[in-house]
Structures are given as C-alpha cells and as structure tokens.
Amino acid sequence: LAKTTQPISMDSYEGQEVNITCSHNNIATNDYITWYQQFPSQGPRFIIQGYKTKVTNEVASLFIPADRKSSTLSLPRVSLSDTAVYYCLVGPSGGGFKTIFGAGTRLFVKA
Amino acid sequence: EPEVTQTPSHQVTQMGQEVILRCVPISNHLYFYWYRQILGQKVEFLVSFYNNEISEKSEIFDDQFSVERPDGSNFTLKIRSTKLEDSAMYFCASRGRGITGELFFGEGSRLTVL
C-alpha cells in the first residue's frame, strides 16, 4: 500500500481557497487517489477521487500532476463548516479490502 | 439517501465484559468494514468482510474480536472481553461495486470501558 504524507494541520479564513497537498511517492500504476472528510464524532465521508490530471465535483477539485507522486485537494471559498480532518488515500480502484487512513490534515477555518 | 446505521450510539461497559456493536449496511452493498478511532487519533482499520468471510484484518483485530453477518442485513462486531484500551469510537462502513470504491460510514458507536 502506498504511503501518504500530508501536513498535520492548516488554518484558513472564511471565503479563502484552501489547497491541501498529499505526497505519495510510491503510488502504483493501478492506484487511485481518494480524499475523505471527517467532522468530529462522525465517520469519514468521501469527497473526491481521481487518477490523473484534474477532477472537479460540486464540493472540491483534485489536481494530480503527470508523475502522480502528489495530489492537491482544492476547496473553493471555505466556510466555518469546512473545519474538519481531510484524509488522502491511495489504493486500487474499487477500494480493495484494506482501505487505510493516515493521520490526515486538520483544517481550521476561522471567521 | 441510503445510509449505514449503527447501534448503540454509546455504550458504557465494565472491563472484561462482552460487547456487541451492530451495523446495518446499505442494502445492496457487498463489502463491509469495521474501523475504530481512539479519541484524538486516526481512523484505524480493523477488518473487512466479503462473501460471508473475513477478507482482511489488521493486527488490532486479535482473538478478542469477531465479526458476523447473522441474517443478511446486520453486520456485528463482538469484543469478547473488553479492555480499557478498547475505549474508542467504532465505525462500520460498507461499499458497493461502484468504480470509486467509496466507503459509506455510519455515525459510529462510542464504547467506553471502565
């Protein structure tokens, strides 16, 4: 399983764009990059998944460079309710039987 | 929207007691998971279950733990003899055959061992 490295925490202000970068140097050819969000006392929630280039949905964008050794989750115009832990996961499409969460990035959004 | 439901939301037990945590996965999902999260720490994988058997388990999932899908809808985690360090939030998750492999998590069961 590819190891991921993310910043432990980040601060932002309401209305700003937040970019969280994840390093995954030993990503395998068939691995996808998936991001989850977790609010306190709740289970993680899927945000977005990508394989290469850029993926965008109603919540976020995911930028993946050509070498795929890193990825950046971009949250446009964050609000206080985006304060959460964000996890970057790398693994096979279809999820596999052992989806492992790292330490994640704690995002604090301030007014 | 379909969701994973877990019961109880909070259970307090004495050390050495058996605990059963229950989960109802999303109805057409085929893969089931248990995770735990000790307060302030990361989400830890315990076990995955597919086709009525364990697919993968972590080193945390020792002989004190067992899982069962007794009736085709419930998915249970049993801790045979609880220890203080079993105090945590336990999350059940399920996924279907979707291409993303998205896991759908329940709201969790908080276990407090005294």
Side-chain angles (χ1 to χ4, degrees):
Chain A
L1 294 171
K3 179 175 160 51
T4 60
T5 303
Q6 308 173 230
I8 293 173
S9 66
M10 296 180 69
D11 289 345
S12 182
Y13 288 93
E14 283 190 291
Q16 289 188 331
E17 178 184 79
V18 170
N19 296 308
I20 306 174
T21 297
C22 178
S23 298
H24 28 80
N25 290 318
N26 59 341
I27 188 169
T29 304
N30 63 340
D31 282 344
Y32 281 67
I33 300 147
T34 309
W35 286 80
Y36 283 80
Q37 173 191 56
Q38 185 183 27
F39 297 115
S41 298
Q42 293 187 26
R45 186 175 69 104
F46 173 93
I47 301 176
I48 197 166
Q49 185 183 82
Y51 183 81
K52 61 181 180 181
T53 63
K54 177 184 173 183
V55 180
T56 297
N57 62 22
E58 64 278 4
V59 176
S61 294
L62 179 59
F63 298 92
I64 306 167
D67 67 6
R68 304 200 327 123
K69 292 184 184 300
S70 66
S71 58
T72 299
L73 175 74
S74 181
L75 305 171
R77 296 179 301 282
V78 293
S79 63
L80 295 177
S81 62
D82 292 316
T83 293
V85 179
Y86 292 82
Y87 298 96
C88 165
L89 285 70
V90 171
S93 172
F97 289 117
K98 197 174 183 180
T99 301
I100 302 295
F101 287 77
T105 298
R106 292 183 180 274
L107 173 66
F108 296 97
V109 180
K110 306 172 189 176
Chain B
E1 184 176 314
E3 59 181 18
V4 175
T5 57
Q6 291 186 239
T7 55
S9 56
H10 189 191
Q11 181 157 354
V12 181
T13 190
Q14 295 291 326
M15 192 168 55
Q17 295 296 303
E18 176 182 283
V19 160
I20 297 176
L21 305 178
R22 292 182 168 79
C23 170
V24 179
I26 293 172
S27 63
N28 61 347
H29 283 186
L30 300 174
Y31 306 86
F32 314 110
Y33 304 76
W34 282 102
Y35 288 81
R36 80 171 186 190
Q37 187 171 34
I38 295 169
L39 187 64
Q41 298 186 25
K42 67 180 184 180
V43 177
E44 298 176 292
F45 170 81
L46 292 178
V47 66
S48 60
F49 193 86
Y50 170 71
N51 201 24
N52 286 319
E53 60 183 24
I54 290 174
S55 309
E56 291 272 0
K57 59 182 181 179
S58 71
E59 53 279 0
I60 301 169
F61 194 87
D62 60 21
D63 292 343
Q64 293 297 314
F65 292 88
S66 62
V67 289
E68 206 177 32
R69 189 159 158 78
D71 57 12
S73 62
N74 290 285
F75 180 51
T76 62
L77 174 70
K78 182 193 290 186
I79 308 174
R80 232 177 302 282
S81 177
T82 50
K83 304 188 281 286
L84 294 176
E85 54 265 37
D86 293 327
S87 294
M89 184 76 97
Y90 288 81
F91 293 107
C92 173
S94 69
R95 70 175 173 93
R97 292 188 184 276
I99 192 168
T100 66
E102 174 182 352
L103 292 178
F104 292 80
F105 283 81
E107 291 293 304
S109 293
R110 181 172 298 284
L111 176 64
T112 301
V113 182
L114 303 176

